[in-house]
Amino acid sequence: MDEVLAVMNRFDDIIENCSKELRNYNECTLSLGADRCEAPKEKLISCQRRMELQVNKIRNTCVIENEDYHRCMAQNSSNESCLHALKKLFTCTEKVVKSSS
């Protein structure tokens, strides 16, 4: 289980998420009001667009790896049984992200 969590954490490390931008926008709206937070809002929107493009590229490029992983998960009750498929999916994802940088 530890190895599965380690691989899943690596996904979090390479795939862009917009938590910082969301936090900044929320802090701004709480302190100043939404009408005075256009810059943080634009940064959040921009990040979300990049993230969406990245996820779509991963989906389109890693179709086989994704299908293999989901098939394995459907056939097994244990994440450990699918570790090999998960690692293949991670490797493909990592290549997509690095090629996009």
Side-chain angles (χ1 to χ4, degrees):
M1 184 64 145
D2 290 340
E3 196 170 357
V4 171
L5 289 174
V7 174
M8 295 304 289
N9 287 335
R10 289 174 61 199
F11 273 104
D12 290 340
D13 291 341
I14 66 164
I15 296 177
E16 180 173 10
N17 71 59
C18 302
S19 58
K20 182 178 94 178
E21 290 82 359
L22 180 59
R23 184 179 58 250
N24 289 344
Y25 178 65
N26 283 336
E27 288 173 358
C28 182
T29 59
L30 288 172
S31 63
L32 301 175
D35 58 327
R36 299 186 63 201
C37 298
E38 197 59 34
K41 179 180 176 181
E42 288 303 317
K43 287 181 180 180
L44 175 60
I45 291 169
S46 177
C47 179
Q48 290 171 329
R49 286 184 183 141
R50 284 191 315 274
M51 189 173 72
E52 182 180 5
L53 290 172
Q54 187 180 59
V55 169
N56 286 337
K57 189 171 183 181
I58 290 166
R59 277 191 191 127
N60 292 332
T61 304
C62 303
V63 173
I64 293 170
E65 293 84 352
N66 192 37
E67 288 175 354
D68 288 348
Y69 175 69
H70 285 284
R71 188 177 313 107
C72 181
M73 291 299 292
Q75 295 171 352
N76 294 282
S77 60
S78 164
N79 286 340
E80 288 85 9
S81 302
C82 301
L83 184 58
H84 182 70
L86 180 62
K87 284 181 177 181
K88 282 181 148 182
L89 178 57
F90 174 78
T91 299
C92 181
T93 301
E94 188 174 44
K95 285 179 184 176
V96 171
V97 171
K98 285 182 179 178
S99 73
S100 300
S101 304

